[in-house]
Amino acid sequence: MSASTMTFANVDWSEIGQATLDTLAMLGGSMVLTVAVGLPLGVILFLTGKGQMLENPLANGALSLLVNILRSVPFVILLIVMIPLTVALVGTSLGVAGAIPPLVAGAAPFFARLVETALREVDKGVIEASFAMGAKRRQVVLGALLPEALPGLVAAATVTAVALVSYTAMAGVVGAGGLGDLAIRFGYQRFQTDVMVVTVVLMLVLVQVLQMIGDAVVRKVSRR
């Protein structure tokens, strides 16, 4: 069936609308929790690194190992391995609620590494000047380090949000709902090409919108 002759007869638009809302709910909920977990984790990775104000090779090595292990596990495998933990946390492994724990477990380590990289880009002179003015460590981190790294942190959040869109699609494999679930159940298993086309286009639009918003925010905070 060519694009010009496609009639979209198999497409249930109300179901597409509900799947889109489910994808947005998974993306929003998991992104908030990913930032809540990944930001402090990335800050600790940076501060305990070599030559930093809380240098601690043991703690840094342990955290780095944990982050690397979680990042090296394919997300589809992580979805399955985490089912018992997901059920214990939210009472189900299905639907939007069941998808959020593995989404956070997969994305938070990725975001933490991006945060660490963004903090490394901050000019050491800014930190030294803050200490010279009598600031405490907490004041340096909250008042100088994080504000200076803000454009990089926003860019990191944008990259993570785009990655989460593909993760939500993979979560459809275990019945998480959303556009990925529709693509698998109807587009792939029932060979309904029109459903596959609609879901893929909607996910492409979502990624493009996220990237445009992220780029606009980066430009705004860079000019502050």
Side-chain angles (χ1 to χ4, degrees), residues 3 5 19 21 32 35 54 73 75 78 84 86 136 151 153 161-162 177 210 213 217:
T5 60
L21 291 176
V32 169
V35 172
L54 296 177
V73 178
F75 185 66
L78 188 64
T86 301
K136 304 297 183 185
L153 296 177
V162 170
L210 287 171
I213 293 173
V217 176

Side-chain angles (χ1 to χ4, degrees), residues 113-179:
R113 281 297 187 199
L114 295 179
V115 168
E116 182 188 18
T117 301
L119 295 177
R120 284 178 178 168
E121 298 298 320
V122 175
D123 188 349
K124 285 189 175 181
V126 174
I127 299 174
E128 292 169 357
S130 299
F131 277 124
M133 289 188 290
K136 304 297 183 185
R137 286 174 179 168
R138 182 177 178 179
Q139 293 171 318
V140 171
V141 172
L142 297 179
L145 188 60
L146 290 177
E148 284 296 320
L150 189 56
L153 296 177
V154 174
T158 303
V159 171
T160 304
V162 170
L164 274 170
V165 173
S166 64
Y167 286 2
T168 62
M170 284 186 274
V173 173
V174 294
L179 293 170

Side-chain angles (χ1 to χ4, degrees), residues 4-216:
S4 59
T5 60
M6 192 173 292
T7 61
F8 299 100
N10 297 310
V11 178
D12 182 336
W13 294 104
S14 63
E15 197 166 23
I16 290 288
Q18 183 59 52
T20 303
L21 291 176
D22 287 346
T23 294
L24 292 175
M26 281 190 281
L27 179 62
S30 59
M31 189 64 205
V32 169
L33 292 173
T34 293
V35 172
V37 174
L39 180 60
L41 182 57
V43 171
I44 293 172
L45 278 170
F46 172 76
L47 293 178
T48 57
K50 186 176 181 180
Q52 302 304 330
M53 62 183 83
L54 296 177
E55 181 176 347
N56 186 323
L58 184 60
N60 187 267
L63 282 176
S64 292
L65 179 62
L66 175 63
V67 167
N68 290 341
I69 289 173
L70 288 173
R71 287 182 61 198
S72 64
V73 178
F75 185 66
V76 172
I77 303 299
L78 188 64
L79 276 170
I80 298 169
V81 169
M82 280 194 62
I83 286 177
L85 178 60
T86 301
V87 172
L89 289 173
V90 298
T92 178
S93 64
L94 302 175
V96 172
I100 288 179
L103 286 171
V104 174
F110 175 68
F111 181 61
R113 281 297 187 199
L114 295 179
V115 168
E116 182 188 18
T117 301
L119 295 177
R120 284 178 178 168
E121 298 298 320
V122 175
D123 188 349
K124 285 189 175 181
V126 174
I127 299 174
E128 292 169 357
S130 299
F131 277 124
M133 289 188 290
K136 304 297 183 185
R137 286 174 179 168
R138 182 177 178 179
Q139 293 171 318
V140 171
V141 172
L142 297 179
L145 188 60
L146 290 177
E148 284 296 320
L150 189 56
L153 296 177
V154 174
T158 303
V159 171
T160 304
V162 170
L164 274 170
V165 173
S166 64
Y167 286 2
T168 62
M170 284 186 274
V173 173
V174 294
L179 293 170
D181 182 52
L182 278 189
I184 292 170
R185 286 193 294 119
F186 295 94
Y188 176 67
Q189 295 177 342
R190 301 183 188 179
F191 304 104
Q192 295 178 352
T193 306
D194 48 357
V195 176
M196 179 70 83
V197 169
V198 170
T199 54
V200 170
V201 168
L202 285 173
M203 296 189 78
L204 289 174
V205 170
L206 179 56
V207 167
Q208 185 64 28
V209 169
L210 287 171
Q211 190 64 58
M212 290 173 62
I213 293 173
D215 290 344

